[in-house]
Amino acid sequence: MRGDRHIAAVTDAHFDLAAGQCLALVGESGCGKSVLASALLGLLPGNAETAGSAHLDGLDLLTADEATLARTVRGRRIGLVPQSPAAHLTPVRTVRSQLEETVRELTGIRRREVRTAAEAAAERAAFPVDHLDRYPHELSGGLAQRAATALALIGDAPLLLADEPTTGLDRDLVERTVDELKRHTGDDRALLMITHDLAAAERIADRIAVMYAGRIVELATAADFFGAPGPRHPYARGLLNALPEREFTPIPGMPPELGALPAGCAFAPRCARATTTCAGLPALGSGVACHHPVPEPVAIVKEQEATHA
């Protein structure tokens, strides 16, 4: 709720994520990605309403009470790399003390081994050991991000939720950070990465979910999304074509306000393929929610036709 208005921040978000997989959730700012993450952790404002279900190890995260979420979910079943690490870290305690406390709480390691385990967690996230005795306000944005990542990795949670984990990092550290997040998944853990960084998503994701105006408009394998045939939703294709290494062509217009969404396709006002059909809301059929999805390249179509001839 915003005042007396009901704002549908996320609607009809359907996806699954298996152990050993990384799903990258991408889209412009304000499309609902971080709201979805907050819903999974039970961290929405008190006036927010949720419906549906989100199951993890037999627990419905959307209906679980606060005590259950605090004691058995956050840190234990879901590790969080937050979007704003400065707000996530305790300002009056050193990074070392926060890591050691988390090690004791989540692993049960004996006191004499806590210090070593905390330093190992820092090293996993590329956080320099000689900065461990600093306070959060003494860290750069990139170092704060790595400290928060180190905290999230400690519990080896079945699901790691990384909300913009590469914010403030240079390209070398982006690659090191996302590689470590990918290694975390192993065979029995999963990674949900919310990001604007399509290069980081391409590096580690198995699947891509594209969100626009509170809805997932395309689900695709990373190989199909970044290779051939490429994204099928015009918005998803526009995101990819806006990259400097691609066409470097921005998507025209601005996203709609979530409190003033049209009845039909929310992307239609910005879409060159829109017709009167787009006045109706498209469903996520065959992985793309669009009345006029981008067709496969002609060369691929001709090859398929030749195969069936």
Side-chain angles (χ1 to χ4, degrees):
M1 297 289 291
R2 182 180 294 170
D4 59 354
R5 291 193 304 153
H6 184 272
I7 306 296
V10 178
T11 306
D12 296 333
H14 300 282
F15 61 87
D16 56 65
L17 180 55
Q21 288 187 343
C22 170
L23 174 67
L25 183 61
V26 303
E28 291 170 294
S29 297
C31 70
K33 304 187 303 297
S34 294
V35 172
L36 177 59
S38 295
L40 295 177
L41 288 163
L43 296 176
L44 292 172
N47 63 346
E49 300 176 6
T50 59
S53 60
H55 293 282
L56 176 63
D57 292 341
L59 175 68
D60 187 346
L61 300 173
L62 298 188
T63 59
D65 58 48
E66 172 58 26
T68 299
L69 292 168
R71 294 172 186 168
T72 69
V73 174
R74 299 175 195 136
R76 291 176 170 83
R77 296 191 191 187
I78 302 179
L80 173 66
V81 180
Q83 184 176 19
S84 302
H88 188 72
L89 299 169
T90 303
V92 295
R93 299 180 58 192
T94 65
V95 175
R96 182 188 300 277
S97 69
Q98 294 180 63
L99 287 173
E100 291 182 352
E101 179 185 44
T102 304
V103 167
R104 287 192 296 268
E105 180 71 19
L106 296 183
T107 69
I109 288 177
R110 291 175 297 179
R111 179 173 298 180
R112 72 185 67 174
E113 299 169 343
V114 166
R115 183 183 182 92
T116 299
E119 291 180 355
E123 185 175 349
R124 287 177 68 187
F127 186 90
V129 175
D130 59 359
H131 284 53
L132 281 173
D133 294 312
R134 296 187 178 185
Y135 292 88
H137 73 271
E138 297 178 303
L139 304 177
S140 67
L143 282 176
Q145 186 71 60
R146 281 181 273 168
T149 300
L151 286 167
L153 293 174
I154 286 173
D156 285 328
L159 173 62
L160 185 65
L161 200 167
D163 190 358
E164 300 290 356
T166 60
T167 299
L169 304 183
D170 61 36
R171 182 48 53 183
D172 287 343
L173 284 174
V174 166
E175 293 178 356
R176 181 169 175 176
T177 298
V178 297
D179 286 349
E180 181 56 53
L181 295 178
K182 180 65 172 180
R183 278 193 291 273
H184 170 84
T185 62
D187 295 324
D188 55 358
R189 293 182 289 273
L191 170 62
L192 175 59
M193 183 171 73
I194 295 170
T195 184
H196 290 89
D197 190 339
L198 289 176
E202 183 177 12
R203 186 175 180 88
I204 68 167
D206 301 293
R207 291 189 298 149
I208 306 293
V210 182
M211 180 170 277
Y212 184 78
R215 294 179 180 271
I216 292 178
V217 297
E218 183 161 3
L219 274 168
T221 66
D224 285 345
F225 188 88
F226 292 106
R232 300 201 64 211
H233 195 285
Y235 170 69
R237 183 155 293 216
L239 281 181
L240 205 55
N241 288 341
L243 294 177
E245 61 270 26
R246 301 263 179 162
E247 297 180 8
F248 205 26
T249 304
I251 302 172
M254 296 292 292
E257 291 288 337
L258 293 179
L261 295 178
C265 175
F267 186 62
R270 306 173 70 185
C271 182
R273 302 174 68 86
T275 67
T276 55
T277 307
C278 302
L281 187 65
L284 190 66
S286 301
V288 58
C290 182
H291 294 297
H292 308 293
V294 179
E296 294 181 349
V298 174
I300 294 178
V301 173
K302 286 183 177 179
E303 181 179 342
Q304 292 174 342
E305 290 174 349
T307 302
H308 293 293

